[in-house]
Amino acid sequence: GAGVSQSPSNKVTEKGKDVELRCDPISGHTALYWYRQSLGQGLEFLIYFQGNSAPDKSGLPSDRFSAERTGGSVSTLTIQRTQQEDSAVYLCASSLQGPLLAGGESGANVLTFGAGSRLTVL
Amino acid sequence: GESVGLHLPTLSVQEGDNSIINCAYSNSASDYFIWYKQESGKGPQFIIDIRSNMDKRQGQRVTVLLNKTVKHLSLQIAATQPGDSAVYFCAERRWGNTPLVFGKGTRLSVIA
């Protein structure tokens, strides 16, 4: 597609349930990122995938969070046993390349974001 | 759509005036900076970026200024329009091959 697509756009779930959020990046983009945005906060980095390299999971807040990227394209973020503090907007972004490498063209590293998936845990 | 943040710093500007949105960063090793605009109910949208070897970069109606001495970044919007109303985020790449780190954002309200 022309942009980054995320689904569902809104998800309401009960505490303790598992949820899956999907991201379909821009075709040809090798890097994919997940960020979380809580009310009144900036964007909190969760995880990123770059090509076939092992993902950088350094931002995942707990072992209840996991993500995978199949075939170098679509990604799924899974939150197990959801808690109320997991309520947030989960944003996915993709870029032609990974985080900016020295000497690289900055345009290829600009993140294009999807509209996000708003998760509400009751 | 809902606001992305109810307790953000807010800048109110008269339509047609210039806007200046400021951002402080903490890591002197950060070498790349970027501004995003987020309208209600939408994902952040790229505005302009700048590398640390520059102190100014201009786009269409926008200018980013970087002062590495005091670790300060600003976004200037010329002739602010109602469509500029949004939350603006600065982001930095702190070192090496690391993902962007975002600030908390500033809400810009344009008064018609």
Side-chain angles (χ1 to χ4, degrees):
Chain A
V4 177
S5 297
Q6 292 188 245
S7 62
S9 55
N10 278 286
K11 175 72 176 178
V12 179
T13 191
E14 293 179 347
K15 177 182 173 181
K17 296 287 178 87
D18 297 352
V19 297
E20 286 190 351
L21 307 176
R22 176 190 166 105
C23 174
D24 201 341
I26 293 174
S27 178
H29 279 195
T30 63
L32 185 147
Y33 306 77
W34 284 97
Y35 282 83
R36 178 169 70 174
Q37 186 174 34
S38 302
L39 197 63
Q41 301 296 316
L43 279 70
E44 174 190 5
F45 166 72
L46 296 176
I47 185 171
Y48 99 89
F49 300 86
Q50 170 62 60
N52 295 322
S53 302
D56 177 349
K57 304 179 182 180
S58 60
L60 295 179
S62 78
D63 59 8
R64 295 186 295 105
F65 288 72
S66 63
E68 62 178 24
R69 188 179 186 192
T70 53
S73 181
V74 172
S75 177
T76 302
L77 176 69
T78 301
I79 309 172
Q80 295 178 309
R81 304 180 303 282
T82 52
Q83 304 294 311
Q84 288 184 331
E85 60 263 29
D86 299 335
S87 297
V89 176
Y90 289 82
L91 290 159
C92 176
S94 68
S95 65
L96 272 174
Q97 300 176 14
L100 183 66
L101 300 178
E105 288 297 321
S106 62
N109 302 96
V110 170
L111 274 62
T112 301
F113 282 88
S117 293
R118 179 176 297 278
L119 174 65
T120 302
V121 182
L122 301 177
Chain B
E2 289 187 47
S3 302
V4 298
L6 299 179
H7 304 292
L8 297 171
T10 300
L11 175 66
S12 296
V13 176
Q14 203 73 32
E15 181 180 359
D17 287 353
N18 296 335
S19 302
I20 300 176
I21 301 171
N22 296 305
C23 179
Y25 64 94
S26 58
N27 194 312
S28 57
S30 293
D31 63 355
Y32 174 69
F33 305 88
I34 191 167
W35 282 97
Y36 278 89
K37 170 187 180 183
Q38 187 174 28
E39 296 174 281
S40 187
K42 298 183 179 179
Q45 184 178 21
F46 169 79
I47 302 174
I48 192 168
D49 58 358
I50 189 168
R51 291 175 178 265
S52 59
N53 61 354
M54 303 172 69
D55 53 21
K56 180 179 180 179
R57 192 168 187 217
Q58 288 185 292
Q60 188 176 21
R61 275 202 312 120
V62 294
T63 301
V64 55
L65 297 177
L66 175 63
N67 185 329
K68 293 182 288 293
T69 302
V70 295
K71 297 198 285 287
H72 184 267
L73 190 69
S74 68
L75 177 70
Q76 299 180 359
I77 305 173
T80 313
Q81 303 169 359
D84 295 328
S85 294
V87 176
Y88 290 80
F89 293 96
C90 65
E92 62 181 304
R93 188 180 74 123
R94 288 187 170 169
W95 60 78
N97 195 24
T98 56
L100 295 173
V101 175
F102 285 79
K104 290 192 184 300
T106 297
R107 182 182 304 282
L108 176 65
S109 291
V110 181
I111 306 165

